[in-house]
Each structure stands twice: as C-alpha cells, then as structure tokens.
Amino acid sequence: MKIDVVTLFPEMVDKPLSLSIIGRAREKGLLKINFVNPRDFTEDKHRTVDSKPYGGGSGMVMMVEPLYKAISKVKKRNSYVVLLTPRGRVFNQSVAKELLTKKHIVLVCGHYEGFDERISYYADDEISIGDFVLSGGEPAAVCIIDSVGRLVDGVIKKESREEESFKDYLLEFPQYARPAVWKGKKVPDLLLSGDHNKIKKWRFEKSLEITKKRRPDLYEKYRDFLRRKDE
Ligand code: ADE
C-alpha cells in the first residue's frame, strides 16, 4: 500500500511511524509512506503557506495554491485524496477497512486554523479522528496510517486481526499475561484450565458484558447486526 502525506511537518508523522509494527512494515516494503511539503511549492522569499482569513477572525488559514500544487505533485488517476479535518466524517474501524481497499491514499494535513475551503474540490473524502480539535492533521494521519497499515497483509498475524475489538461491533474481552497472581490479584481460573471451549464462551460473554456497559451505542449496533443476519 502506498500513502502520500501532504504536511508542513513531515517529522510529526514520519517519526512515530518509524517504530514498532508499522516501522517494520515500512522496512519490509509492505507500506510505503512518502511526504510532500506545501512549503516547497511557494514562490515568495518567505515561503509563505498561510494567510489571514477573509472576513476577519483570529488565526491563520492555509492558502489554497501551495496545497493544490503539493497534492497535484503526487495525485494519480487512482489516488484517493483525504482532507484531515474535525469537520470530516468520523474515523472508525470500518472506515479503516474501506481505506485499505484504495490503491493510493493522499492524506492532507491542515495546520493553523485549517485550509482554504476551495481545496475541497480536489479531495475525495474528509475525515476526522474524533470530536476534538488538534493543532494540525498530523496526529490524525498517524492514527489513520497505523490502523490501516496494520490491516495490510503480512503486517501482523491474520488471527490477531480477526480476534480483536469491533469485530461484529463488540469490544475485546480482558486479556492477562504472566504472572498468574500479581499483588494478590489472580487471573480468572478458567483461563488456566486449558478448556478451550469454555474459554471461548467466557471471552464472548465478557465482550458482551463490557460492550453493553461501556459502549451502549456499539451494543445496539451489534444487536441490529444480529437482527439483520437473521432476516
Ligand atoms: N485536524 C484538527 N483536528 C482534527 C481531527 N479531530 N481530526 C482530523 N484532523 C484534524
């Protein structure tokens, strides 16, 4: 999979994605991440990329021309261009799976108070990572690349992908590692029993219980999913 990131601060995205699982996937060539800086497409002495908003207001807005040129540099016929903005549709696991089907993704990070609205004519999608405002789109790009990148074949074990949270809308069951007793707290006996059927049942019940309690919205989606499956 190939991803281009349009950003004024490439290191903010490159560094966190150079470590651990995604770092290894990049070394193996399973994931190719490239950076384009709109500042390299300015023509004035100060390499200006932002300007005061028309109509007044505080802060600065990213100008359309350097952004447009940066996007155009990497955009191909099969590219999927995504603006990262708190005004976008909210990212989740099913959006991650949707992005996984794209041949080439261009993630465009805003900075300062956002972009000139006219850049949206060159985008296929607008995505937010949640209802909060970041100082720029870069941390959002890291989250999106991490979650899509780990779904790419060969990056992590297939079984790990299949067992986890949000599969069929349920949160993951609790997990435990050594030691079996820690500060007087014991791992549930059943998990030490070796009875795989019972363990499977216990985990499923825990998933249901935790989802119902912590995320009633997801639990409802799960119920709807079951109803649709029965129809
Ligand atoms: N840029 C600023 N805030 C953001 C958010 N919540 N999601 C994506 N991009 C952003």
Side-chain angles (χ1 to χ4, degrees):
M1 155 159 277
K2 185 163 187 279
I3 302 177
D4 273 283
V5 185
V6 175
T7 169
L8 294 171
F9 301 98
E11 283 170 308
M12 281 181 78
V13 183
D14 190 27
K15 285 269 158 69
L17 296 174
S18 298
L19 306 165
S20 183
I21 294 169
I22 300 297
R24 281 196 294 278
R26 289 173 75 184
E27 277 166 22
K28 285 192 211 158
L30 297 171
L31 195 60
K32 294 197 176 73
I33 309 174
N34 180 53
F35 298 94
V36 205
N37 194 331
R39 211 175 282 286
D40 296 336
F41 299 87
T42 53
E43 274 156 24
D44 63 314
K45 193 170 95 200
H46 301 290
R47 306 178 77 205
T48 314
V49 287
D50 58 339
S51 143
K52 289 199 186 117
Y54 278 116
S58 65
M60 301 291 269
V61 172
M62 277 178 83
M63 298 190 306
V64 69
E65 184 69 8
L67 270 176
Y68 167 70
K69 285 183 172 160
I71 297 170
S72 304
K73 171 91 181 166
V74 292
K75 185 176 168 161
K76 311 255 167 11
R77 218 162 31 88
N78 62 5
S79 303
Y80 192 71
V81 180
V82 181
L83 298 184
L84 299 174
T85 158
R87 285 167 45 190
R89 63 179 174 135
V90 180
F91 190 70
N92 61 23
Q93 193 66 17
S94 68
V95 180
K97 286 182 184 163
E98 200 185 308
L99 294 182
L100 184 67
T101 66
K102 309 293 177 194
K103 287 256 168 341
H104 174 221
I105 299 170
V106 182
L107 295 177
V108 185
C109 303
H111 224 88
Y112 315 116
E113 293 300 310
F115 327 89
D116 182 311
E117 184 67 22
R118 290 167 291 185
I119 202 61
S120 60
Y121 293 115
Y122 298 95
D124 302 295
D125 202 350
E126 298 194 14
I127 291 178
S128 161
I129 59 159
D131 292 336
F132 45 86
V133 182
L134 297 163
S135 57
E138 287 77 8
V142 172
C143 294
I144 292 172
I145 296 171
D146 188 290
S147 64
V148 177
R150 62 189 287 291
L151 298 177
V152 170
D153 270 342
V155 175
I156 59 169
K157 283 201 212 109
K158 203 161 170 251
E159 308 87 80
S160 313
R161 271 189 271 150
E162 281 167 2
E163 271 174 21
E164 68 204 7
S165 287
F166 296 100
K167 181 178 174 264
D168 298 347
Y169 309 103
L170 294 179
L171 298 176
E172 199 179 48
F173 45 80
Q175 299 268 33
Y176 300 87
R178 281 188 300 177
V181 184
W182 178 75
K183 293 192 193 293
K185 303 220 180 315
K186 283 180 70 191
V187 171
D189 284 335
L190 192 112
L191 297 178
L192 310 176
S193 70
D195 186 333
H196 293 293
N197 282 334
K198 276 202 182 137
I199 291 173
K200 211 170 156 188
K201 186 164 172 278
W202 180 88
R203 286 180 163 166
F204 177 65
E205 280 163 2
K206 282 286 169 194
S207 275
L208 282 178
E209 183 188 314
I210 290 169
T211 311
K212 200 168 170 184
K213 191 162 158 211
R214 297 191 188 168
R215 293 288 306 274
D217 58 318
L218 270 188
Y219 187 72
E220 267 319 300
K221 281 190 185 164
Y222 169 70
R223 299 289 300 254
D224 283 346
F225 166 77
L226 287 187
R227 277 193 283 270
R228 268 182 278 124
K229 234 170 55 169
D230 284 346
E231 278 166 16

